[in-house]
Amino acid sequence: MNARARPCTCASLRLRPVPGRAGRACLPALLLAASAMLATPALAQPSVQAPLQTLASAPARSEPGKALRVSAVQSWSAPYAFYRDGALVAGINHDIVQTLAEQLGLTVQTQVLPRTRVDAAVLAGDVDLRCHLSRDWVRNPEAYHWGPPLFELATVLAGHESAVPITALDQLHRGQTIGTVLGFVYPGLEERFNDGRLRRDDTFAVDRNLQKLKLIRSPYIVSDTREIEWHMRNTPGHQFANWRLPITRTEFRCAVPRNGRLDAAMLLAGLERLQASGRIEQIIRNYSPPQPVLVMSAQSSVKLLSQQQVAALFLGETLELPGGGRPVLGSQSGELKHEFYNRVLEKDAAQVKAIWSRMTFSGRGRAPREFGQSAALRAWLLNTPNALAFMDSSGLDPSLKIVYMPPVSPP
């Protein structure tokens, strides 16, 4: 992935440009890797990756040429991992590690392993860093030095368009089959799997699990929101229903095995610098553009809303929720806000601001309250009666329910 840059165009390759980058640049190395035939036929091409950048505050570099030995799991899927000829060549997980190594002056040696063999490799001292981890997913979390939470992962239950919509797990009949991935741990569902209320239908990899819905092999599957959204953007006729049931929210972390041969403090400090610089967020955006969903407390009596109802609420045309009650509006700030305005309200930010300025001046309403962090937005939703807000789908958790989900935009 160190090919010299040369001119290219995002449009000619049907790739999403990096938001806000001058010239809408593409990284040829990623394009070359992604355009080749991938090892897993079902995977689509990844979106554009921005060039690796030297951080402003460069740390002391490690011994030149020393290798960072990293484990990758064969069952990972887009947008977290793309494989070619059995090698990890692109994706969120790949880019985080490559950027960390670039910062520290290390080379990367990636071992692509079945999930069942990763623990043995760690125990043997063959791994210096693992990413795409949670403490809940490993057998012995004390065997690692844990890095900072880099971003959030939301696991949801999704269904085929012919399946009965589910708003609570208890609505599933006993013994219902759920599409899952072999070796994956699903906090929030494990108790039901263990006592027989639900049954796992395992497959080898995430992308195969997502394909089950199209075949109606399983009317319901459980997966990460970014994985589902990537699949929907790149798979015509995917047949996913337009609802989701949040199951768990997890923090994505990297961890350093205590018996690794590289300095854990150096690696963890490097990850903290990447996060503070905004580089992690940029990597995610390159592969996974913001996906707004409109949510309320899971205890709310409001059911699914139409786009017309949502637009009327957020443009001040309706001052009452279906079933009664005055709405209290909120939003996640930044790029997601503009995505919501354009795709759902069909307005730009200036138009929406003008509408709410008039509403506020006349005393008819108050503009949506903005939140920079999804955690603060979740707390506000749970403590504010009749509150509803749009947020990125990766910030979902079981305390919330989706009342409107716009269609996923194609690449």
Side-chain angles (χ1 to χ4, degrees):
M1 300 297 291
N2 294 320
R4 175 175 294 179
R6 62 185 182 219
C8 62
T9 62
C10 295
S12 65
L13 293 163
R14 298 181 63 210
L15 295 174
R16 183 180 297 273
V18 180
R21 289 189 60 83
R24 301 164 72 87
C26 301
L27 179 62
L30 176 58
L31 303 183
L32 291 173
S35 61
M37 182 178 295
L38 299 176
T40 304
L43 294 181
Q45 293 180 351
S47 298
V48 59
Q49 178 191 9
L52 297 181
Q53 300 175 347
T54 302
L55 298 179
S57 55
R61 300 172 76 84
S62 64
E63 180 182 337
K66 197 164 187 178
L68 172 63
R69 302 169 304 163
V70 180
S71 64
V73 179
Q74 290 176 341
S75 53
W76 286 346
S77 188
Y80 297 104
F82 297 85
Y83 295 101
R84 186 185 69 217
D85 298 331
L88 180 66
V89 296
I92 293 173
N93 297 352
H94 169 275
D95 289 7
I96 288 174
V97 171
Q98 292 290 336
T99 308
L100 175 65
E102 173 96 354
Q103 176 196 150
L104 298 175
L106 301 170
T107 61
V108 177
Q109 293 180 357
T110 303
Q111 304 177 66
V112 180
L113 301 169
R115 180 171 293 274
T116 54
R117 289 179 53 192
V118 175
D119 286 341
V122 170
L123 186 63
D126 296 333
V127 177
D128 299 315
L129 184 70
R130 292 184 66 183
C131 286
H132 204 149
L133 275 190
S134 163
R135 291 177 182 271
D136 295 332
W137 299 350
V138 296
R139 295 178 181 175
N140 184 13
E142 301 307 317
Y144 298 89
H145 299 284
W146 288 90
L150 299 181
F151 55 92
E152 293 182 328
L153 303 169
T155 300
V156 297
L157 184 79
H160 186 269
E161 57 190 11
S162 65
V164 175
I166 298 299
T167 58
L169 288 174
D170 289 341
Q171 295 172 2
L172 294 168
H173 66 75
R174 185 174 182 83
Q176 173 67 59
T177 297
I178 305 295
T180 51
V181 178
L182 183 66
F184 276 32
V185 176
Y186 297 99
L189 293 177
E190 291 299 317
E191 183 178 343
R192 286 176 163 82
F193 288 142
N194 292 336
D195 65 17
R197 280 178 287 173
L198 299 176
R199 290 194 302 114
R200 296 180 64 124
D201 180 16
D202 282 334
T203 192
F204 171 72
V206 171
D207 61 298
R208 300 291 191 266
N209 188 37
L210 298 175
Q211 290 171 19
K212 288 180 184 178
L213 243 61
K214 192 169 184 177
L215 303 173
I216 323 183
R217 175 178 166 183
S218 293
Y220 303 101
I221 61 101
V222 59
S223 192
D224 171 85
T225 54
R226 291 189 182 92
E227 292 164 344
I228 294 175
E229 289 154 13
W230 177 278
H231 185 82
M232 292 176 68
R233 282 195 297 269
N234 293 278
T235 307
H238 54 74
Q239 299 183 8
F240 273 81
N242 195 36
W243 60 266
R244 303 284 183 272
L245 174 63
I247 302 297
T248 54
R249 181 185 64 82
T250 307
E251 293 173 332
F252 178 111
R253 294 177 185 261
C254 295
V256 179
R258 292 183 180 273
N259 62 350
R261 68 184 182 189
L262 294 182
D263 179 33
M266 174 190 70
L267 295 174
L268 299 184
L271 289 167
E272 290 179 352
R273 283 189 294 269
L274 288 183
Q275 185 184 37
S277 72
R279 187 67 179 99
I280 299 294
E281 182 180 355
Q282 183 186 39
I283 289 171
I284 295 169
R285 287 201 309 267
N286 291 343
Y287 293 95
S288 180
Q291 176 62 27
V293 289
L294 186 64
V295 297
M296 299 185 74
S297 165
Q299 306 306 315
S300 171
S301 61
V302 175
K303 301 185 184 300
L304 293 177
L305 301 176
S306 67
Q307 180 180 357
Q308 290 74 22
Q309 288 174 307
V310 174
L313 287 166
F314 277 84
L315 295 176
E317 298 167 0
T318 297
L319 301 178
E320 187 172 331
L321 290 167
R326 190 177 180 89
V328 183
L329 307 178
S331 74
Q332 194 166 325
S333 60
E335 183 184 351
L336 187 84
K337 178 178 72 174
H338 298 285
E339 186 81 5
F340 178 82
Y341 287 167
N342 292 330
R343 289 172 54 188
V344 181
L345 306 186
E346 299 179 349
K347 305 282 185 184
D348 61 31
Q351 291 173 310
V352 175
K353 182 178 180 180
I355 290 171
W356 282 104
S357 292
R358 292 193 296 271
M359 292 281 292
T360 302
F361 182 78
S362 66
R364 295 187 63 239
R366 180 179 295 180
R369 181 175 174 180
E370 292 191 17
F371 295 84
Q373 302 294 325
S374 58
L377 177 53
R378 283 192 296 267
W380 176 79
L381 284 163
L382 298 180
N383 291 289
T384 307
N386 294 330
L388 68 162
F390 56 89
M391 67 187 306
D392 189 83
S393 61
S394 64
L396 293 169
D397 74 13
S399 68
L400 304 175
K401 70 175 179 178
I402 301 172
V403 295
Y404 175 73
M405 184 173 63
V408 174
S409 297

